[in-house]
Amino acid sequence: MADRSIRVRVPGTSANLGAGFDTLGLACNLYNELELTLTERPGLSISVEGEGAGRIPEDDRNIVWRSIQLLLERSHHEKEYQGAIIRMKNEVPLSRGLGSSATAIVSGLKAANVIIGNKYNRRELLQLATEIEGHPDNVAPAIFGGFTVSTMKGRHVESFSFLPKIRLRFVVAVPDFFLPTKKAREVLPETVPRADAIFNIGRASMLVAALMKGSAYFLRRSFDDALHQPYRAQLIPGMYDVFRAARAAGALGTVLSGAGPCLISFVEERDEREEAVGEAMREAFEKHGVKAEIKHLGLDTRGAHIVNRNHQA
Ligand code: HSE
């Protein structure tokens, strides 16, 4: 067996979308690229360019490498390929709620899967990725692209991906601090009142229906949440003020992106207020002493894909 190389691109994601905690997600047009060479000889070489450089571990704690190892073990290829050269070029900010860990996991699984001859289909990769990440709402859009709805039954995950009938842009405020998902999950209660569950079921359902029908009217009424945002607000100074400012500037709605600290506003494509929404979010954060970079993003519709194929002899 010779060493084999592959390059894949995986979109960043935003999970929850307000009421769809651990369930809904979307893929955006920010990408992490992975160039992977699997080698017969043991040894690991990892380099990171762009977002996360200097912070992402470049040894065997690296999540891309751990995902690759899991796939090689499950497929019984771990003796054939004992080492790797991993080159990451990242656009997705680290630990900010834009799915950086999901892109890392999915890129490792996708690239290794191609090299071993596509033993697993996308649904099987979703299963593996969810096992590693713990919940499906970021890994599903990273794999499939578009908007995704995911359910779990025990450890089994099902996701479907769809493109909305309304063209949207996403205005994301990226605060200049990290918020580990673990910390943002620790503030959540184990159980919730029935009224809060009902509150969210209505909005999550309405959000998906509004996206599929293309109704801006109902979208505007779908973004509130009672299950995670109220508890996480203490970790993100000014969160609700940023929501209000964005809405006043013309956003359809604003939610916490994943576990945060990024906040994401939804704006209709070609709405001339898109710039103003970003500026309002930046200013509202600033009033609370938070510096935020504003990104104007679109929907990724492809999900994880191969960039080029270069099997070395
Ligand atoms: N649904 C997850 C959360 C996404 O909100 O904790 C972050 O990985």
Side-chain angles (χ1 to χ4, degrees):
M1 264 292 156
D3 294 355
R4 300 181 91 183
S5 298
I6 193 82
R7 189 143 33 114
V8 297
R9 275 172 105 213
V10 182
T13 59
S14 181
N16 301 326
L17 314 186
F21 180 69
D22 276 2
T23 299
L24 302 180
L26 63 82
C28 64
N29 60 355
L30 273 182
Y31 297 94
N32 283 356
E33 201 171 287
L34 165 67
E35 192 182 322
L36 171 67
T37 303
L38 288 181
T39 61
E40 290 176 84
R41 60 196 178 284
L44 189 59
S45 160
I46 300 180
S47 64
V48 184
E49 266 179 53
E51 295 287 345
R55 293 189 73 96
I56 293 174
E58 296 183 359
D59 53 28
D60 57 13
R61 291 167 304 163
N62 183 281
I63 185 88
V64 174
W65 173 235
R66 288 189 5 229
S67 306
I68 293 165
Q69 280 181 308
L70 179 77
L71 185 131
L72 292 177
E73 278 161 24
R74 289 285 169 88
S75 60
H76 309 294
H77 283 82
E78 77 275 20
K79 293 210 170 66
E80 202 174 315
Y81 296 114
Q82 298 196 25
I85 303 164
I86 289 171
R87 296 211 173 85
M88 302 163 72
K89 274 193 202 156
N90 294 344
E91 289 179 359
V92 180
L94 193 67
S95 207
R96 299 304 217 302
L98 286 173
S100 58
S101 73
T103 63
I105 293 165
V106 170
S107 66
L109 293 177
K110 172 92 185 166
N113 188 46
V114 176
I115 290 178
I116 64 161
N118 282 311
K119 180 178 170 112
Y120 299 111
N121 63 28
R122 292 199 297 178
R123 296 170 81 84
E124 290 164 328
L125 291 182
L126 170 73
Q127 192 63 48
L128 277 175
T130 304
E131 241 179 73
I132 302 168
E133 173 95 331
H135 37 85
D137 48 340
N138 281 306
V139 293
I143 291 172
F144 297 109
F147 280 81
T148 53
V149 182
S150 303
T151 58
M152 294 206 60
K153 189 170 184 185
R155 292 157 68 96
H156 182 74
V157 53
E158 292 287 356
S159 297
F160 77 85
S161 155
F162 66 94
L163 299 181
K165 280 227 178 93
I166 179 168
R167 289 184 171 271
L168 295 169
R169 300 275 302 158
F170 312 116
V171 184
V172 180
V174 187
D176 66 350
F177 64 89
F178 300 104
L179 178 53
T181 299
K182 188 169 177 290
K183 188 172 169 201
R185 290 180 87 83
E186 276 166 8
V187 299
L188 304 180
E190 275 301 317
T191 56
V192 296
R194 185 198 310 187
D196 290 353
I198 294 167
F199 183 98
N200 270 50
I201 291 166
R203 281 158 183 81
S205 309
M206 191 181 276
L207 179 73
V208 174
L211 289 167
M212 289 190 137
K213 273 206 94 140
S215 165
Y217 176 90
F218 284 111
L219 255 190
R220 268 191 211 100
R221 286 150 180 83
S222 306
F223 288 108
D224 286 340
D225 160 72
L227 296 189
H228 70 111
Q229 293 182 170
Y231 305 99
R232 288 171 163 172
Q234 58 182 295
L235 303 171
I236 298 143
M239 185 181 90
Y240 285 117
D241 281 347
V242 178
F243 288 7
R244 279 187 283 270
R247 178 78 85 141
L252 294 165
T254 307
V255 293
L256 185 60
S257 183
C262 278
L263 305 183
I264 178 168
S265 291
F266 292 67
V267 179
E268 277 193 81
E269 201 174 276
R270 282 192 278 277
D271 186 328
E272 65 210 10
R273 296 170 298 178
E274 182 181 329
E275 281 296 323
V277 168
E279 195 46 31
M281 294 173 80
R282 200 188 57 69
E283 278 173 11
F285 254 145
E286 204 165 51
K287 283 187 190 141
H288 290 268
V290 176
K291 268 192 152 196
E293 184 196 342
I294 304 298
K295 289 187 185 290
H296 293 267
L297 304 174
L299 189 68
D300 169 87
T301 58
R302 282 180 83 179
H305 59 275
I306 298 165
V307 179
N308 73 357
R309 244 188 153 109
N310 172 25
H311 294 305
Q312 292 172 350

